[in-house]
Amino acid sequence: MATIQKRTGKTGTSYLIRVSAGYGSDGKQIIKSKTWRPSAGMTEKQTERELRRVAAEFEQRIENGDTADTSNLRLADFCKQYLDLSKTSLSPTTYSYYVRTIDSLIIPSLGHMKLTAIRPLHVQQFIQALQEPGARSDGNGTLSASSVRRYFTVLKSIMAKAYKLGLIDRNPTDTARLDLPKIEEEEVEVFSKDEAAHLMSCLESEPLMYRVLIHLAIVTGARRGELVALKWEHIDQKRKTVKIVQSNYKIKGGEIKTKSPKTQKSTRELSIPDYLISMLNDLRREQMVEALKLGDAWHNEGWIFTQWNGAPMYPSTPTLWFSKFQERHNIPHRKFHALRHTSGTLLLSSGTNIKTVASRLGHTQLSTTNRYLHSLSESDAAAAASFETLLFEPQKKEKISG
């Protein structure tokens, strides 16, 4: 049975847990020990309950023969284990982002430290360093608060895994003990109804494939990766629907790959109007002509949005093309993702139920869809202001004429 000894020192209260691991060849008893410190703010009962749990877990590990000494394990070494353990649970793009963040920021800053030696102070210093001028990868300017928090999230995930595996007694990335930069709520980028209409008018002189792409983006609100992953089999002509069942992505230096949608609710079937069905039919005929011209060089894989040879369109192409399109037509620049926001905003402004809008966009939480209400409130304020013109302008004219 584990024995527990309470110790009080300069760093606070800790508990030494000792467990017998049997006897050695010399007949002497082998004792394994670990130190556990309660998290800040724990009540006496909470400390007692958690201490019993940690002691029982440690004793079970020893009984199971897990006597490996991890007290000297460095963060850099554990990061390799963490990535191996997380590869199946993270999406490919997220995994790639975590690898880059670990290699470029976390290991250079904290990798030399023992896992058990990392304290909230070290994590706070890491956060502060990210906010210093020159912390950006290009060396220019400072990182935004949201970027700092995203990098911190990677470190937090690593330390949470270490705590869950029993490698550390408390998590130094507990946000209750840290100061993180505050994020000012970013204004959702959208096209107004008139701007969207102007955008559609400008599209008339563009290639058919890109016209279909932008119309689908606004009508369905689909994400960029979902759009470029569409195949002809996902279009139901009779029911006039499009199925969003996958997403395409490309990691730097890799090939275009297909994955499941972002969340379970991202898999959805959406109704589309007659005119868009007609545009899709025109695009398919155009594609068939190109396929005949190229013969065996055509990649006959059923993609709707393609490269010149029928291979799937690069996920970055919609962004690059849309930026140049806006520049050509003197349209104030907005990101391609603004089309998704515009879709939600236009639906809400037309009176569509917010749950229906959330469902079409594949939002897991209504709070995400609620962000679009801010854009509507601005339109509402403009509408309210117009009453002053309607109601009082005639009176002003009468006074002037009188």
Side-chain angles (χ1 to χ4, degrees):
M1 185 173 176
T3 59
I4 302 172
Q5 179 185 353
K6 182 177 181 179
R7 300 188 296 188
T8 303
K10 292 181 180 179
T11 57
T13 301
S14 64
Y15 295 85
L16 178 66
I17 305 170
R18 295 161 59 90
V19 174
S20 172
Y23 293 85
S25 57
D26 58 358
K28 292 183 179 180
Q29 191 176 28
I30 301 170
I31 300 295
K32 294 292 179 180
S33 63
K34 73 174 293 181
T35 300
W36 178 78
R37 293 180 176 83
S39 298
M42 271 189 168
T43 64
E44 189 175 336
K45 283 188 176 181
Q46 287 173 332
T47 300
E48 185 181 347
R49 185 166 58 249
E50 182 65 10
L51 178 58
R52 285 201 303 267
R53 187 193 69 78
V54 171
E57 186 181 80
F58 181 57
E59 186 173 18
Q60 187 64 50
R61 279 177 52 200
I62 300 302
E63 287 180 3
N64 291 340
D66 182 8
T67 58
D69 183 10
T70 57
S71 60
N72 291 319
L73 182 64
R74 296 181 308 125
L75 176 62
D77 296 323
F78 178 66
C79 281
K80 297 173 186 175
Q81 299 175 29
Y82 166 81
L83 288 171
D84 287 340
L85 293 168
S86 304
K87 196 160 190 176
T88 55
S89 60
L90 296 174
S91 74
T93 48
T94 301
Y95 179 81
S96 178
Y97 172 74
Y98 273 39
V99 169
R100 292 197 307 273
T101 301
I102 288 169
D103 289 344
S104 63
L105 294 173
I106 294 175
I107 289 179
S109 298
L110 300 168
H112 64 285
M113 296 189 68
K114 294 178 183 178
L115 269 179
T116 53
I118 298 174
R119 298 285 180 264
L121 172 62
H122 303 120
V123 178
Q124 188 65 61
Q125 289 171 340
F126 172 72
I127 294 168
Q128 294 302 120
L130 291 177
Q131 297 177 77
E132 294 293 327
R136 284 169 46 122
S137 58
D138 59 9
N140 298 320
T142 56
L143 290 168
S144 66
S146 58
S147 293
V148 172
R149 281 179 171 260
R150 279 196 297 271
Y151 291 137
F152 165 72
T153 298
V154 180
L155 177 61
K156 184 179 179 182
S157 178
I158 294 168
M159 300 310 291
K161 179 68 76 175
Y163 178 75
K164 190 174 183 179
L165 294 173
L167 300 176
I168 53 176
D169 298 320
R170 56 183 174 180
N171 191 341
T173 58
D174 180 357
T175 52
R177 307 179 69 181
L178 299 168
D179 292 322
L180 290 164
K182 293 182 180 178
I183 300 177
E184 292 184 12
E185 190 171 345
E186 294 181 4
E187 197 172 308
V188 177
E189 257 192 346
V190 298
F191 290 94
S192 69
K193 190 175 181 180
D194 289 341
E195 288 173 332
H198 175 63
L199 185 150
M200 292 304 187
S201 175
C202 293
L203 273 176
E204 291 306 307
S205 60
E206 299 294 335
L208 177 59
M209 183 174 69
Y210 290 104
R211 297 209 309 267
V212 174
L213 176 69
I214 302 303
H215 277 272
L216 265 177
I218 290 185
V219 170
T220 66
R223 301 174 179 90
R224 183 185 68 174
E226 294 170 340
L227 289 165
V228 295
L230 286 175
K231 289 191 168 188
W232 291 113
E233 65 193 58
H234 301 144
I235 306 297
D236 190 322
Q237 295 275 347
K238 290 183 179 179
R239 298 178 62 204
K240 298 173 186 175
T241 61
V242 55
K243 287 182 180 178
I244 308 293
V245 295
Q246 59 191 26
S247 179
N248 280 2
Y249 69 95
K250 182 183 180 298
I251 294 170
K252 189 176 181 180
E255 299 177 346
I256 298 172
K257 294 185 178 179
T258 303
K259 64 176 182 177
S260 298
K262 190 174 181 181
T263 63
Q264 189 175 357
K265 287 198 173 183
S266 292
T267 300
R268 55 208 190 274
E269 186 171 12
L270 307 172
S271 297
I272 55 177
D274 290 336
Y275 87 87
L276 199 41
I277 290 288
S278 179
M279 287 181 74
L280 282 161
N281 287 335
D282 290 342
L283 178 59
R284 189 160 199 183
R285 282 191 289 270
E286 184 179 277
Q287 224 181 67
M288 289 170 69
V289 171
E290 286 301 309
L292 286 171
K293 285 181 183 177
L294 290 178
D296 292 340
W298 181 264
H299 291 242
N300 192 24
E301 298 165 358
W303 301 105
I304 294 178
F305 302 110
T306 68
Q307 298 175 48
W308 66 273
N309 60 354
M313 178 182 282
Y314 284 104
S316 59
T317 297
T319 300
L320 297 172
W321 183 88
F322 190 58
S323 180
K324 291 177 182 177
F325 162 76
Q326 292 176 95
E327 188 178 338
R328 278 196 302 274
H329 295 278
N330 296 316
I331 297 173
H333 184 271
R334 291 180 180 85
K335 296 176 183 176
F336 185 85
H337 201 70
L339 298 173
R340 175 172 165 80
H341 296 323
T342 299
S343 179
T345 305
L346 291 178
L347 286 172
L348 288 171
S349 66
S350 68
T352 306
N353 182 284
I354 191 168
K355 287 187 177 180
T356 302
V357 176
S359 178
R360 282 187 69 89
L361 297 177
H363 286 162
T364 304
Q365 299 177 327
L366 281 180
S367 58
T368 307
T369 318
N370 274 330
R371 294 172 61 209
Y372 301 140
L373 294 177
H374 172 70
S375 299
L376 292 180
S377 65
E378 290 181 348
S379 298
D380 185 60
S386 68
F387 278 105
E388 181 176 0
T389 304
L390 290 170
L391 298 176
F392 298 108
E393 199 63 34
Q395 294 180 24
K396 291 177 181 177
K397 289 181 179 179
E398 285 180 11
K399 287 182 180 179
I400 292 172
S401 60

